Amino acid sequence: MSGESGREIRRGSYPEITWPAILIGYVLGALIAVSIGYLSLKLGFSIEGSELAAILGFGILRGVMRRKSIIENNINQTLASSVNGASAGMMFSIPAIFILGYTDFNRLLVVLACMAGGVLGIAFIIPLRKQMIDFDRLAYPGGIATAAILKAPGAGVRKAQLLVGAALLAAIVHLASLMTGFENWDVGALLGLPEYMNGIWYISLLTIGTAYLAGRGGWFFVVGGYVCYWILAPLMDFRGILPTPAELETAGQGMATYLRLQLFRPVGIGMLIGGAVTGIALALPLVIAAIRSMQQAAKVKSVVSRDELPIRFLYMGIVGAVVLLAGTAVMAVPHIEPWRMILMAVLGATWVWLAGIVLAECIGRTQWSPLSGMTLIGITILIFVASGMSDRDTVVASIVVGAAMCVAMAQATDLMLDLKTGYLVGAIPRKQQIAQFLGTWLGPILIMGLIVVLHQAYGMGSDKLPAPQGQALASVIQGVLGGDVPLDKYLSGAGLGALLSASGIGGVGIMVGLGFYLPFNIILTYTIGTLLREFTDARLGRKFADDSGIPLAAGLIVGEALVGVGYSLMVVFSA
C-alpha cells in the first residue's frame, strides 16, 4: 500500500526472523568465520564479527533486495556472528593438538562437542540479559557500534561497496605475494641496520586492516615488539651478551631467529599466562556483582518476560549439553575412568558458567574480552584432572572438552553484544536468541575443516602459520606433563605480565606479551595500520573511520583471508 506521497505504508509488525535473513546470515557467517579464523592463526587474536555482518547484511538485504526492516537485518547479523562464534573458540585451543603431534583424534567428535558447547554458552548467558542490559545498562561498545550501522539509512550500501573494493585489492596483493614468494621485505638490510634489530616487513594488507580496526588499543601490542628488538637487543649487544657467531652456527639459526625462539617467545608465553591469571583475579568483583545480578533477575516476573525463551527450554539445553560433554570425553578416550569423565564434565560446565559471566561483564564495560586467558586456564584445569592417563589421552580429552568450553564462552559474549544491539533497535530478545541457536552448528564444521586444510598446507605452528595461542597452550601442557621447558623465562614473563595487568589497563599484559611472542615482521607491518588509524582519527575525525576506514579495513581482512584459504586448498589438493 502507498500513501499520498507515494511512499510505501506498512501495516502490522516489521519482518524480523525471515528466510532471507536466515539464509543470508548463514552465507555471511561462513565468510566471516573463515576470514577471522585465518586471522586468528596468523596474528593470535580475533575480532568481533557483528559489525562486519551488519555492514554486509545491510548491503544485501537493503541495497540489493530492497528490504526495509532494521530488525530483520539485526537477525541476519545475529545469526552470522553466531556462526563466527566458533572461530576464536576453536582457534585458541584445537591447534595445540596438532602442534603437540596427536593428530589421530576424532575430528567429527570435536565438531559435535563444539556444537554442544555453543548451546551451553547461549543457555547459560540468556538469564543475564535482563539484568546486564535492561537494568545495569552495561555499555557494550561493539553492540552500540553495530546498532549505529543498522540505523544509518543508505550508508550501509556505500560501506559494503568500500568493503568489497578493499577485499579485491587485498586479494590481488596477497595472491601476487604467494605466487612470487615475495612475502617479506628486508628493509633493515637496505638501511644497514644490525641483524638483531630485525627490520623485515611482512607483506600483508590483512595485518594493516586488523591494526586499523584495533585502533589505539593496538599500541600495547606494537610496544611489546619494539621493546624486544629495538631496545633490549641493542642493550644486550652493548653489554656483549648476544650469542657469538659460533653459537649461532651451532644452533643453526640467524641472530633474529635465535633471539625470538630462545628468549623473547618463552618470555612472551609467560606474559600471556601471568596477564591472564591477574586479569581474572582483578575481575573477581565483577563475578560477585554478576552473581547478584542473576539472583535479582530470577525474581523479576513481568509482561516483558514473555520476550525471553521459556526457562524450561534453557534447562533442557544445559542438561543436554553437559551430558554431551561427558559423552564427548568418553568417546575421545574410551577407557577414561567414570569419575574422571564426570569431574571433567562438571568442572567444564562450571567454568563455562563462571567465565561466561566474567567475559560478559568485561566486554560490556571495556569491549575487551580475555577469552584466550580463560581458555588457557580452563584447559589447564582439565589437564590436571586428566593427568594420570597416557600423555596422548590426557591431551586429547582435555583439549576436546576444552574446545567446547571455549566455544561456549565465545557464544555467550557474542550473544550479549548482539542483544545489546537488539535492545537499541527495538528487536524481540526471544527471536534473537533463536537466531543465535540456529547459527551454532555451522561454525564448528567450517573451522574444523579450515584447521585441517591449513595444517596440511603449512603445518600448524610454522612460520607461515604461527598459531600463537595454540603454541602457548601447547607449551603450558608440555610444562604440566613434565616436559623440557624454559621455566625461568616463563616465570619471568609471568611476573612481568602480572605487573602490567595489575596496572588497571584491561588486557595490557596479554597484548604486550603477544608483542614479545609474535615474529617482529608482523609487528612492523601492524604499525602501519595503527599509525593510519591515529592519523585519520586526528585529521579526518571519528566519522571518517566509521563511514570509510572500518569498512575498508574489514575488506582488507576478508580479501586476504579468502585468498589465503583458497591457496591452501590448492596446495593440499595439488600435492
Side-chain angles (χ1 to χ4, degrees):
M1 174 180 285
S2 299
E4 294 179 357
S5 64
R7 298 178 60 184
E8 181 182 356
I9 298 175
R10 171 171 291 281
R11 307 292 185 191
S13 60
Y14 277 92
E16 190 163 1
I17 188 163
T18 62
W19 280 112
I22 293 171
L23 295 176
I24 293 171
Y26 279 129
V27 173
L28 295 182
L31 181 72
I32 293 169
V34 169
S35 301
I36 295 181
Y38 181 79
L39 181 153
S40 302
L41 289 176
K42 283 278 188 180
L43 302 185
F45 54 85
S46 182
I47 58 176
E48 294 296 335
S50 298
E51 289 186 37
L52 290 180
I55 291 171
L56 291 172
F58 202 117
I60 296 173
L61 285 171
R62 306 194 74 174
V64 178
M65 301 178 70
R66 302 296 179 189
R67 301 179 75 85
K68 306 293 184 183
S69 172
I70 291 177
I71 53 178
E72 182 185 38
N73 199 172
N74 181 55
I75 287 294
N76 162 71
Q77 71 87 13
T78 299
L79 197 150
S81 61
S82 174
V83 175
N84 176 58
S87 62
M90 295 177 71
M91 289 306 186
F92 289 170
S93 52
I94 297 298
I97 301 184
F98 289 91
I99 293 169
L100 291 170
Y102 301 114
T103 55
D104 58 336
F105 64 96
N106 187 333
R107 273 79 165 162
L108 177 60
L109 189 61
V110 174
V111 170
L112 292 175
C114 290
M115 290 178 184
V119 172
L120 183 65
I122 295 170
F124 269 147
I125 207 67
I126 283 177
L128 286 175
R129 185 203 72 83
K130 190 177 294 297
Q131 191 66 29
M132 286 187 172
I133 294 178
D134 289 4
F135 299 154
D136 289 346
R137 296 184 184 277
L138 298 185
Y140 290 102
I144 294 173
T146 305
I149 293 169
L150 296 176
K151 289 179 176 179
V157 176
R158 179 175 173 275
K159 290 175 180 176
Q161 291 171 341
L162 290 174
L163 189 148
V164 172
L168 287 174
L169 173 64
I172 293 169
V173 170
H174 193 50
L175 185 61
S177 174
L178 291 170
M179 298 294 287
T180 61
F182 183 64
E183 300 179 39
N184 292 285
W185 186 19
D186 194 351
V187 179
L190 293 176
L191 298 176
L193 295 178
E195 187 184 355
Y196 58 73
M197 293 188 71
N198 198 4
I200 300 172
W201 296 69
Y202 180 39
I203 309 298
S204 168
L205 294 179
L206 172 146
T207 305
I208 295 174
T210 304
Y212 190 91
L213 288 181
R216 192 157 291 175
W219 278 116
F220 300 117
F221 172 62
V222 169
V223 165
Y226 284 90
V227 165
C228 289
Y229 294 95
W230 287 15
I231 296 179
L232 293 179
L235 284 175
M236 292 169 67
D237 181 55
F238 179 74
R239 296 289 304 275
I241 55 176
L242 284 175
T244 63
E247 289 173 326
L248 292 175
E249 186 176 350
T250 303
Q253 296 167 339
M255 179 65 78
T257 304
Y258 182 91
L259 286 175
R260 176 174 174 254
L261 296 183
Q262 304 299 323
L263 178 60
F264 298 138
R265 191 169 75 170
V267 172
I269 290 172
M271 292 178 72
L272 291 173
I273 298 168
V277 172
T278 305
I280 291 174
L282 293 175
L284 278 178
L286 297 178
V287 177
I288 295 170
I291 292 172
R292 289 175 178 162
S293 296
M294 288 187 70
Q295 293 171 339
Q296 294 178 28
K299 298 175 183 175
V300 174
K301 294 184 181 298
S302 67
V303 176
V304 185
S305 64
R306 288 178 299 184
D307 290 343
E308 310 285 352
L309 280 174
I311 197 70
R312 295 190 304 277
F313 181 79
L314 303 183
Y315 290 151
M316 289 169 59
I318 293 169
V319 172
V322 171
V323 171
L324 193 51
L325 275 183
T328 298
V330 172
M331 287 187 279
V333 181
H335 49 274
I336 188 172
E337 298 94 329
W339 70 267
R340 211 185 294 271
M341 170 200 70
I342 294 171
L343 189 57
M344 289 182 75
V346 171
L347 284 177
T350 304
W351 185 250
V352 167
W353 172 75
L354 182 66
I357 293 172
V358 173
L359 292 171
E361 287 271 353
C362 286
I363 204 166
R365 297 182 190 276
T366 67
Q367 192 56 18
W368 168 68
S369 171
L371 176 63
S372 60
M374 292 293 183
T375 301
L376 197 62
I377 294 171
I379 294 180
T380 303
I381 294 171
L382 295 181
I383 288 285
F384 279 112
V385 175
S387 59
M389 301 188 291
S390 69
D391 286 356
R392 184 265 175 198
D393 289 350
T394 300
V395 169
V396 170
S398 302
I399 294 184
V400 170
V401 176
M405 292 163 51
C406 194
V407 171
M409 293 183 278
Q411 286 288 0
T413 51
D414 177 71
L415 177 59
M416 290 303 280
L417 273 177
D418 291 340
L419 288 172
K420 177 68 177 189
T421 302
Y423 175 82
L424 295 173
V425 302
I428 298 173
R430 178 170 51 85
K431 294 188 176 180
Q432 273 194 280
Q433 292 156 8
I434 291 172
Q436 192 81 18
F437 277 118
L438 289 176
T440 52
W441 65 272
L442 181 56
I445 297 173
L446 294 172
I447 298 301
M448 192 68 244
L450 181 65
I451 290 173
V452 170
V453 167
L454 291 176
H455 176 69
Q456 290 182 7
Y458 303 122
M460 205 62 67
S462 65
D463 286 343
K464 288 194 171 185
L465 206 63
Q469 301 285 0
Q471 288 208 47
L473 178 59
S475 299
V476 170
I477 291 172
Q478 286 174 326
V480 173
L481 296 179
D484 181 19
V485 294
L487 192 59
D488 54 338
K489 293 166 187 168
Y490 283 179
L491 291 176
S492 300
L496 183 56
L499 282 175
L500 289 171
S501 288
S503 67
I505 303 174
V508 65
I510 293 174
M511 288 299 286
V512 176
L514 269 177
F516 270 63
Y517 181 86
L518 281 174
F520 193 49
N521 61 340
I522 290 177
I523 294 168
L524 284 173
T525 305
Y526 189 96
T527 308
I528 297 173
T530 304
L531 291 174
L532 279 174
R533 182 58 180 271
E534 289 288 347
F535 174 80
T536 59
D537 282 357
R539 296 297 182 88
L540 305 174
R542 172 71 193 185
K543 190 172 187 306
F544 173 83
D546 290 341
D547 292 346
S548 303
I550 290 175
L552 286 169
L556 297 180
I557 295 171
V558 171
E560 183 170 325
L562 291 184
V563 167
V565 174
Y567 194 81
S568 304
L569 286 169
M570 189 181 75
V571 170
V572 170
F573 288 110
S574 62

